[in-house]
Amino acid sequence: MYKDLRQFIKALEATGDLVRIRAEVDWDEEIGGIIEEALRRDQPALLFENIKDHQRTHGRKLLTNTQLGLFRRVLMAWGLSENTHPLEALRILKERCRQRVKPVVVSKGSCKEVIETGDKVNLLEFPSPKWHARDGGRYIHTWGAIVTRDPDSGWINAGLQRGQVHGKDRMTIGFIEKSHALMHAAKYLAKGGKSMPVAVVLGAPPLVPYVACAPFPAGVDEFDVVGAIQQEPLEVIKCETSDLVVPAHSEIILEGELLLDPSTFIPEGPFGEYPGTYLGLDKVMRRVLQVKCVTHRQDPILHGLMEGLGPHVSPARDFPYLETIGLWQNLEDLGIPGIKGVYPGDSLGAGHPIIIVSIDNMYYGHARHVATALWSVHGKELQSKIVIVVDSDVDITDKNAVLNAVAQRLRPMEGITIFPGTIGGALDPSIVPEIREMTGGSGRWDRVLIDATWPIEWKPRPEWGGQKHPIYCNASKELLEQVRRRWQEYGLK
Ligand SMILES: Cc1cc2nc3c(=O)[nH]c(=O)nc-3n(C[C@H](O)[C@H](O)[C@H](O)COP(=O)(O)O)c2cc1C
């Protein structure tokens, strides 16, 4: 497991999974354009080292494109071997997540190599990109963690919410209202507080952002989950200006006070959202983080994620958001048998409208049971507008295989079930503004199950070789293994 971003960069470079871009590029849109094209061309991670206006600033480098494209880069960030099948990777993480490991507090960390307070604080020293033309500004935080503490229980939460720069010492954080950080904020407000300590972790150890953006339940300390997945405690270090702790080997930490009085909120955005669209071109009033202290490594590296791709840019692999692990656990916890895997069927997102589940079909209505269970879990509103259930012989990480199963096994009259009028993903472009307004901003989804499993009630038939469905003509597993063993002998690559 990589202790910090630099070890990760070194490993990516060693496997040819990273390119250093030494030509000058503009933080203003050009980097966003490069990423779009890089994804179309299946390029490696990109480390920009010569960014306009940032050749002599404290922060000069920006790492991107580690999360999309080849799944190997994600496996590396998760500390798994590069040959792990994506579904097996999710299964391993699902099991590990259940055994939490507490972090250890250390007294020395590379994030403290430089400490700047007061007048020295300057967010403009870092090469924050403006990803898209109509974005409202530069986003310093798109792939790290926002750390807060529950003032009563001491629970430390790490979430992932975007941060826009608004001058030397001010940024906004784009929290959705049900963020755990805002649960903490409500407690500060109830005690008469006007602000809350927040730490923004930039250039975190590579696993941290994946965990921060996965919605673990209230009370779960995400640093314990990081420890669980990496199977050793995360090293954390105390902040300079608050009792928060942050990953000690991060590139940059911004410490500040989040202003809670609505009269202090300022306009933020617009921002190219995860479906690849703008929710609207108007700005939205957001909470301000008044930054009091910046600590960082020498020559720190910012790590960003350009969301906002849409159907026009299709990364080789969908973003394997850890949310699908949560859904998989939910199905198991509800006692639904035969679940072989849960995988997103659409690209990058804080929500996955399409969720694909593979099952060993065991009883009449099994697929409907899966779909209704997915639609019943509280807090998972952003997932599963469309649930596709397939048999376990279909590789659900391969979209073509899933489409073929739908083509061959779906009988629409029986296999399509629509469940109308549920809460929906607010950012989904299919939601008309009037409905969004009517639902108080949450959106409304009519959800659909596409059951592409062979019907369990069919009888075995002699013409199907005694099976309950037509049989396939493909080579046996044994033959394929033999062929793979001899592959090079055949003179094939
Ligand atoms: C790439 C990505 C970007 C996200 N951006 C935001 C954001 O800007 N604001 C937000 O409230 N949630 C955002 N989310 C969702 C939160 O990270 C997610 O709900 C997380 O669970 C929040 O942490 P919490 O559960 O500890 O509150 C994003 C998720 C992903 C995967």
Side-chain angles (χ1 to χ4, degrees):
M1 182 53 72
Y2 310 107
K3 201 165 112 181
D4 64 17
L5 198 61
R6 305 216 181 171
Q7 285 183 1
F8 181 49
I9 288 173
K10 224 172 152 186
L12 287 170
E13 223 166 3
T15 53
D17 283 287
L18 181 132
V19 172
R20 290 174 189 265
I21 310 233
R22 298 198 167 102
E24 189 187 87
V25 296
D26 199 333
W27 52 264
D28 191 354
E29 288 183 49
E30 189 181 3
I31 288 177
I34 294 170
I35 293 170
E36 270 204 31
E37 193 55 19
L39 283 168
R40 284 195 189 96
R41 297 181 187 218
D42 209 4
Q43 293 296 295
L46 308 173
L47 180 56
F48 294 97
E49 296 190 324
N50 183 2
I51 301 170
K52 189 171 164 234
D53 305 329
H54 288 280
Q55 284 91 350
R56 273 173 288 281
T57 49
H58 288 186
R60 298 190 293 242
K61 295 178 184 154
L62 171 72
L63 174 68
T64 65
N65 209 34
T66 60
Q67 311 87 345
L68 298 164
L70 266 193
F71 190 64
R72 193 163 67 180
R73 303 200 278 273
V74 176
L75 288 172
M76 289 167 79
W78 291 358
L80 299 178
S81 110
E82 63 176 68
N83 298 321
T84 317
H85 186 276
L87 203 56
E88 175 60 7
L90 288 184
R91 197 195 57 74
I92 293 171
L93 263 59
K94 169 174 71 75
E95 292 311 314
R96 289 189 187 169
C97 274
R98 293 191 188 266
Q99 308 289 329
R100 308 273 157 75
V101 178
K102 288 255 157 250
V104 286
V105 183
V106 295
S107 55
K108 278 198 183 130
S110 39
C111 69
K112 305 277 190 185
E113 284 174 8
V114 178
I115 299 179
E116 284 150 339
T117 53
D119 281 356
K120 292 232 169 89
V121 168
N122 190 357
L123 303 181
L124 304 172
E125 289 281 335
F126 303 100
S128 312
K130 180 181 166 205
W131 299 111
H132 307 282
R134 292 173 132 167
D135 284 0
R138 302 177 68 174
Y139 281 82
I140 193 166
H141 179 234
T142 46
W143 192 244
I146 303 287
V147 180
T148 57
R149 187 190 280 277
D150 184 317
D152 298 330
S153 68
W155 153 43
I156 291 258
N157 189 72
L160 195 150
Q161 292 91 7
R162 67 180 182 241
Q164 184 185 348
V165 178
H166 294 270
K168 281 177 71 172
D169 59 358
R170 287 204 315 168
M171 61 185 282
T172 44
I173 304 184
F175 291 109
I176 52 167
E177 288 307 313
K178 63 174 193 179
S179 308
H180 292 152
L182 293 190
M183 279 171 59
H184 295 174
K187 293 190 176 183
Y188 276 88
L189 271 173
K191 291 176 197 295
K194 296 240 174 313
S195 67
M196 168 175 76
V198 168
V200 183
V201 184
L202 306 172
L207 180 58
V208 170
Y210 284 99
V211 175
C213 72
F216 291 95
V220 172
D221 183 331
E222 274 84 2
F223 295 156
D224 297 2
V225 180
V226 173
I229 294 177
Q230 66 184 22
Q231 299 184 298
E232 58 180 309
L234 177 71
E235 292 191 359
V236 295
I237 195 161
K238 220 182 116 330
C239 281
E240 299 297 304
T241 58
S242 69
D243 65 352
L244 293 172
V245 291
V246 289
H249 309 296
S250 306
E251 295 287 323
I252 306 161
I253 306 292
L254 312 176
E255 301 181 17
E257 289 287 321
L258 187 74
L259 308 184
L260 304 180
D261 182 342
S263 68
T264 62
F265 293 6
I266 62 170
E268 182 252 11
F271 180 75
E273 304 278 2
Y274 70 81
T277 50
Y278 288 99
L279 183 57
L281 289 177
D282 294 337
K283 293 183 182 299
V284 173
M285 299 303 278
R286 301 277 191 195
R287 292 165 183 81
V288 171
L289 181 71
Q290 189 68 49
V291 181
K292 297 194 297 190
C293 174
V294 177
T295 76
H296 64 82
R297 287 187 81 157
Q298 298 288 357
D299 198 14
I301 303 167
L302 209 55
H303 193 179
L305 165 69
M306 188 172 84
E307 300 181 59
L309 300 173
H312 310 100
V313 189
S314 175
R317 280 278 175 194
D318 295 317
F319 185 71
Y321 186 35
L322 297 193
E323 171 62 6
T324 49
I325 288 180
L327 293 173
W328 193 344
Q329 281 179 343
N330 291 145
L331 292 175
E332 284 181 355
D333 293 348
L334 284 165
I336 299 183
I339 306 297
K340 293 295 165 188
V342 179
Y343 207 74
D346 50 290
S347 293
L348 166 73
H352 285 296
I354 302 180
I355 293 289
I356 308 165
V357 183
S358 59
I359 60 169
D360 280 336
N361 199 3
M362 292 163 75
Y363 50 91
Y364 183 79
H366 198 160
R368 283 205 185 105
H369 203 175
V370 167
T372 49
L374 286 175
W375 296 333
S376 305
V377 183
H378 182 65
K380 302 290 163 74
E381 294 83 4
L382 296 179
Q383 328 300 331
S384 55
K385 174 167 84 165
I386 300 164
V387 175
I388 303 175
V389 181
V390 295
D391 298 294
S392 58
D393 64 322
V394 178
D395 180 352
I396 57 174
T397 70
D398 176 351
K399 266 185 275 193
N400 286 336
V402 172
L403 272 182
N404 274 323
V406 170
Q408 295 187 350
R409 302 183 196 179
L410 171 71
R411 288 143 299 112
M413 285 296 277
E414 300 145 59
I416 292 183
T417 309
I418 295 178
F419 191 68
T422 69
I423 185 170
L427 295 178
D428 185 339
S430 74
I431 294 170
V432 287
E434 288 76 16
I435 294 283
R436 192 174 286 113
E437 241 168 68
M438 182 273 281
T439 53
S442 67
R444 190 193 79 185
W445 273 347
D446 301 324
R447 294 176 190 248
V448 60
L449 161 67
I450 297 174
D451 176 358
T453 58
W454 294 120
I456 189 107
E457 63 277 16
W458 281 2
K459 300 271 176 289
R461 299 172 76 109
E463 64 266 41
W464 293 341
Q467 299 289 313
K468 292 168 87 177
H469 52 77
I471 52 171
Y472 287 98
C473 52
N474 306 71
S476 68
K477 259 191 194 159
E478 295 71 30
L479 176 58
L480 280 178
E481 266 163 33
Q482 181 195 316
V483 165
R484 280 175 195 139
R485 270 198 306 274
R486 296 196 58 202
W487 200 244
Q488 281 172 343
E489 212 185 304
Y490 302 139
L492 297 170
K493 273 193 195 150

